Amino acid sequence: MKTSRATPNQVNNTGFTSISNTEGARLTNADGSLNMRKTGLPPWELISIYHTLIHMNRRRFFLFIFLFYTVVNILFAFGYVLIGVEHLEGVSNTGSDSMSGFLQAFFFSSQTLTTVGYGHISPIGIAANSLAAAESFLGILSFALVTGLLYGRFTRPKAYLIFSQQAVITMHKGFRAIMFRFASSKNNHLTDVEVQLSLAFHVRENDKLTTKFFSLKPEMSKINSLALSWTIVHVMNEESPFWGMSWAEMQNVQFELLVFIKGFDDHFSNQVQQRTSYTVNDVIYGAKFLPTFRRSDDGKTTILELDKINQYEVVPLVEELTAIE
Amino acid sequence: MKTSRATPNQVNNTGFTSISNTEGARLTNADGSLNMRKTGLPPWELISIYHTLIHMNRRRFFLFIFLFYTVVNILFAFGYVLIGVEHLEGVSNTGSDSMSGFLQAFFFSSQTLTTVGYGHISPIGIAANSLAAAESFLGILSFALVTGLLYGRFTRPKAYLIFSQQAVITMHKGFRAIMFRFASSKNNHLTDVEVQLSLAFHVRENDKLTTKFFSLKPEMSKINSLALSWTIVHVMNEESPFWGMSWAEMQNVQFELLVFIKGFDDHFSNQVQQRTSYTVNDVIYGAKFLPTFRRSDDGKTTILELDKINQYEVVPLVEELTAIE
Amino acid sequence: MKTSRATPNQVNNTGFTSISNTEGARLTNADGSLNMRKTGLPPWELISIYHTLIHMNRRRFFLFIFLFYTVVNILFAFGYVLIGVEHLEGVSNTGSDSMSGFLQAFFFSSQTLTTVGYGHISPIGIAANSLAAAESFLGILSFALVTGLLYGRFTRPKAYLIFSQQAVITMHKGFRAIMFRFASSKNNHLTDVEVQLSLAFHVRENDKLTTKFFSLKPEMSKINSLALSWTIVHVMNEESPFWGMSWAEMQNVQFELLVFIKGFDDHFSNQVQQRTSYTVNDVIYGAKFLPTFRRSDDGKTTILELDKINQYEVVPLVEELTAIE
Amino acid sequence: MKTSRATPNQVNNTGFTSISNTEGARLTNADGSLNMRKTGLPPWELISIYHTLIHMNRRRFFLFIFLFYTVVNILFAFGYVLIGVEHLEGVSNTGSDSMSGFLQAFFFSSQTLTTVGYGHISPIGIAANSLAAAESFLGILSFALVTGLLYGRFTRPKAYLIFSQQAVITMHKGFRAIMFRFASSKNNHLTDVEVQLSLAFHVRENDKLTTKFFSLKPEMSKINSLALSWTIVHVMNEESPFWGMSWAEMQNVQFELLVFIKGFDDHFSNQVQQRTSYTVNDVIYGAKFLPTFRRSDDGKTTILELDKINQYEVVPLVEELTAIE
């Protein structure tokens, strides 16, 4: 039976290579990003500005646009100073003010860029007027982009799924089965939810470390509506690449379970998706999950307790391998 | 025959659990929302601001952004007062006015936030100018978000379906059949419309209340174009979970019919979907629907009368159960 | 053979009813809209403002927003006049001007609504300032909506297909075949283009006018790329509802060919679709299309001549019905 | 065996015609655009403004909107001059300035169009006020469109794929196989990636140049995730249209390999696609690709070297045709 182990649906449609080039490192990080770097092109060609700005965390994004606003104002302030601050009308009038000409030009610039245009400072002459006309034009265009980005970030379809930190292996219908679960964590509602599982074994073959990929069949791969939490179950039966493997062997091949979930969000009116992966170190051999939901006190509704998504109890598993072999 | 009743395609891909945790309460409300609550995370992590603001009703949304506008202006007004209203030029000039400095700062703030910037009040000095520059910047950003939200709400793809309030059970092709119908209520046009039906039975088994789920086969599950109203028909034949059940038995299992409709809207250029559910209390046993459309008086066009979508006539149903058993 | 005529794939997944309620009138207009009206709800519930404003023609749309702008300004001008134009500072100063107070309030309103805010007129006192603050707020919100609508109209995914005005019936592979063709008329490029055909016969049965629907199989239903024009061919063989019908019989059943095309537009990054229909009066019995494309003079590229899409030549068709029956 | 060569799945679902109307020229350019022109309609009807502005390169786009801004300002400046610059208040005051009335009207126009509205120039009288009200209204609308376009260009879903410049033919599993490869070049991540291959032969038949189309089966047509580079392999076995053809024959039929890739981008939340084509001149007969990725120095991650995507080594191919025939 040993040789049959690797045969069930060994495929590689994961996009990863079968030449194991990472030593003990995972293919996909737990947050779903790829454990990978790209080189060979100039840095600016390796980056999509859009993807970078959308993916950036909130704090850095706001810092970025604040710096952009400041730098643009400084550049234009230099421009007005070069032309001469005497061409900004209000500036000469309030010369008694403690502010330098540069600072006054800076604030005039900000009033122009944001199109506030109070008018207590205003441009005189062709040069200053032209620069101001260009700046207000640029202001509208660049705020348009910032607006779009801000809105794009805010409305970017996200799945908002939380996964159990561990996967567990327990008995199910007379076989061992590997299970993990997830739920949508917010007031969003996914429909037509689908799961795709891939499995990677890192094995040493002819003294070369290679990775073998398998498509893993979940017991149910699609549900109409993600109302409660959903426990994904892969039964380790004859058709499973895990068939006949002991826990020690599973650890030996350093398996990694690649998870890809997609669904349709009614509010975004768009498909959303999320990826994660469980390495063998994230798996509890001999444990089962505890329920995540209960009846409300008035018996009228169901309560989903998201803090319980990681709760399991240890249920020692008799090594039934001897029975198989 | 009794035992075969529960066997046909008993599945649970509804996303609900088979452990009946709600007593007599429905799984899905008539408006399509889930009868469910989430707990176990801090409140702010249970909420997607986007979903909340998109889902909120119109009145509350406008109240929300009006309050936001007012509160931001009050905060900035405090800022200008802290700096000193003497640093707002026009304020000192119109000191003869009956308005307090705070109110004048408030209105200056509103002029800055909306980038109107009349200029009869204008900032003097570094502190006031900086605050104004920051406010106009913030104004543009926050109005960008509000703009986006307003537009997002306005253009959010919706199916605009109206459903018959009741489902009816009547004879159809020699069998009993359960029927309900719906139509698009506005000047929208759905194409590639698809229906998915699930059925839930709440039954007491071994003294425990459990829910059984079935996938229910409609006579036709897809149409090219939702031109008129569409009556969904499920025939209660040998393959149906209803096969051999009397009306009393149906009431006893407290069945709930879960309905999910999706289609493509040409104007939104997007998929739209709507859910609803009929509990056993929404079903008339022995009734058939009356037509919803008629020829126009000039015979040139068809008129769909949406007020007739709930109209049915009672057609007593001979209990043919005796014949089956 | 007569009876077998109606049997092949008679279905009704068109969304239209089989009870013929329109006398000689078509189900779908040539521009793809439905020949239908809805009633039974208050007018405002029958209308989706979004669909109406997106569907409206360009001239009426611009008129609509121009009127909106004017009416809002008039309403606010009344507000300022009620408060008293003496609370608008610049107004009293330019009282020597020939403009009435109302007109000056109107222009001040427009400067506030668009957030230009020149400042030669500015509000004094709580009432005028509050109204102005509200107006600039409203201005931003309503221009946000107009902006969105304008952009939504401009970027609404459209297929830009032009269809041949006539369909033709000609011999093809030993059978008669009905053909029509279409091309994308602009510099857009559709991929994964799919066609769905339905056929409606209006026949008198037992003295009642009824409509029979058939799904019609095109020779090829999908192409990868709509590069040139695409001629859709339905062969009238044994599986066709047209099998064995003479041209006189076809005219007698007043057939209508319902056409639905969908594809993916790379620039819109969205699915686009277009509908049309050919009634029996749009069909030439015994004609074939002439080519729409030719080699460029330098032989390096292909030229698609869209004005030729309607060109056909008459090719008399021997009535082969006698041979069949 | 010769005659069987053209039989395997000869289809034409490419959207191109089988009448070869281009002499030696390709159907699809390497950048994925079609080698085609459209005529027969007035020029403005052949153009979708949206597609043109989205497709235009960046430099030309910014030039276009800058010219638009300038031209609109010039037109309105003429309007104010016609009404008389004495109706612009600030203009007469700064008459001592060296600027002409037209230039001052131009700058006033720019301040109105961008809604900066400093107010040192302001309109007097009905005519000037009306024109200014109209201009600020127009300004908001046109900047709305420009904003939308800019954002639409910036966020337009793109696949960012780079393809190997050459395709290679090498031995693979005992057969010859044609291979090319591609990778996503930026920090984007495509999932559910699918490839469709078509093949065109330009052959002389009965003294007429015709094009034959084939659907080409890749060894794997779909992967879950485009993590590294993906090498598309078509095996030239009995089912391939290339079966039994020598390199000379392949060159003789001037084959062109049409490639269409689509996938789902998580950040755009949208389907993206890219096309390319390899003509026989882009193919190296007897070569294989070198690896594009390697282990990072710390062994923890994978490095994809995009500059190596074009690297291959020559591996002479024994003409095994003799063996076949």
Side-chain angles (χ1 to χ4, degrees), chain C residues 116-128:
Chain C
V116 164
Y118 296 116
H120 66 296
I121 308 175
S122 58
I124 325 174
I126 293 180

Side-chain angles (χ1 to χ4, degrees), chain D residues 58-116:
Chain D
R58 203 174 294 181
R59 190 169 305 177
R60 290 181 68 180
F61 177 74
F62 280 106
L63 192 68
F64 172 82
I65 57 175
F66 180 75
L67 283 178
F68 176 82
Y69 177 58
T70 311
V71 166
V72 168
N73 278 330
I74 288 174
L75 291 179
F76 274 96
F78 271 118
Y80 294 114
V81 168
L82 275 178
I83 290 166
V85 285
E86 67 276 12
H87 290 105
L88 298 181
E89 203 174 352
V91 168
S92 43
N93 290 355
T94 59
S96 60
D97 197 347
S98 60
M99 280 203 287
S100 68
F102 177 80
L103 262 179
Q104 296 198 48
F106 177 88
F107 290 124
F108 170 70
S109 163
S110 80
Q111 291 157 23
T112 302
L113 198 64
T114 60
T115 77
V116 164

Side-chain angles (χ1 to χ4, degrees), chain D residues 296-320:
Chain D
S296 68
D297 292 340
D298 61 3
K300 290 264 179 64
T301 189
T302 308
I303 294 179
L304 178 62
E305 296 170 301
L306 292 169
D307 50 346
K308 295 200 175 154
I309 202 154
N310 292 317
Q311 292 187 357
Y312 57 89
E313 63 179 8
V314 175
V315 181
L317 213 61
V318 181
E319 279 290 341
E320 84 281 33

Side-chain angles (χ1 to χ4, degrees), chain A residues 205-221:
Chain A
E205 234 172 36
N206 310 329
D207 237 39
K208 256 177 58 189
L209 198 67
T210 67
T211 307
K212 283 184 177 169
F213 290 95
F214 305 89
S215 140
L216 220 58
K217 215 172 153 268
E219 207 180 24
M220 188 163 53
S221 65

Side-chain angles (χ1 to χ4, degrees), chain D residues 180-324:
Chain D
F180 64 91
R181 62 186 180 183
F182 64 94
S184 71
S185 66
K186 306 221 172 192
N187 52 345
N188 56 337
H189 183 187
L190 302 191
T191 53
D192 278 345
V193 183
E194 219 180 312
V195 63
Q196 291 172 12
L197 300 181
S198 300
L199 181 70
F201 283 174
H202 298 277
V203 290
R204 190 163 290 277
E205 236 171 35
N206 310 329
D207 236 39
K208 257 175 59 189
L209 199 69
T210 68
T211 307
K212 284 183 176 169
F213 290 96
F214 305 88
S215 139
L216 219 59
K217 214 172 154 263
E219 207 180 24
M220 189 162 55
S221 65
K222 197 168 185 176
I223 57 173
N224 294 339
S225 164
L226 183 59
L228 302 169
S229 65
W230 184 18
T231 303
I232 304 295
V233 176
H234 166 74
V235 179
M236 297 178 172
N237 59 14
E238 296 87 343
E239 291 172 2
S240 165
F242 285 117
W243 178 247
M245 289 180 86
S246 67
W247 176 232
E249 285 174 298
M250 289 182 195
Q251 285 172 305
N252 198 41
V253 298
Q254 289 183 64
F255 77 81
E256 180 175 354
L257 182 61
L258 304 166
V259 179
F260 175 67
I261 314 280
K262 63 179 175 187
F264 187 87
D265 181 296
D266 193 12
H267 281 63
F268 288 123
S269 282
N270 212 328
Q271 186 188 316
V272 291
Q273 52 177 52
Q274 201 164 323
R275 283 182 298 275
T276 193
S277 101
Y278 293 94
T279 66
V280 71
N281 304 318
D282 303 325
V283 175
I284 311 291
Y285 192 80
K288 65 170 196 180
F289 286 120
L290 297 174
T292 54
F293 49 83
R294 61 176 175 83
R295 195 187 306 178
S296 68
D297 292 340
D298 61 3
K300 290 264 179 64
T301 189
T302 308
I303 294 179
L304 178 62
E305 296 170 301
L306 292 169
D307 50 346
K308 295 200 175 154
I309 202 154
N310 292 317
Q311 292 187 357
Y312 57 89
E313 63 179 8
V314 175
V315 181
L317 213 61
V318 181
E319 279 290 341
E320 84 281 33
L321 266 301
T322 46
I324 294 169

Side-chain angles (χ1 to χ4, degrees), chain B residues 24-73:
Chain B
R26 59 203 307 171
L27 300 164
T28 299
N29 300 316
D31 68 356
S33 65
L34 302 173
N35 185 6
M36 210 195 64
R37 266 210 328 267
K38 288 177 185 173
T39 65
L41 289 179
W44 58 89
E45 286 191 22
L46 285 170
I47 280 176
S48 152
I49 303 173
Y50 176 77
H51 281 80
T52 307
L53 290 176
I54 288 287
H55 202 70
M56 198 180 269
N57 75 45
R58 203 174 293 180
R59 191 170 303 180
R60 291 181 69 180
F61 177 73
F62 280 105
L63 192 68
F64 172 81
I65 56 174
F66 180 75
L67 283 177
F68 177 81
Y69 177 59
T70 311
V71 167
V72 169
N73 278 330

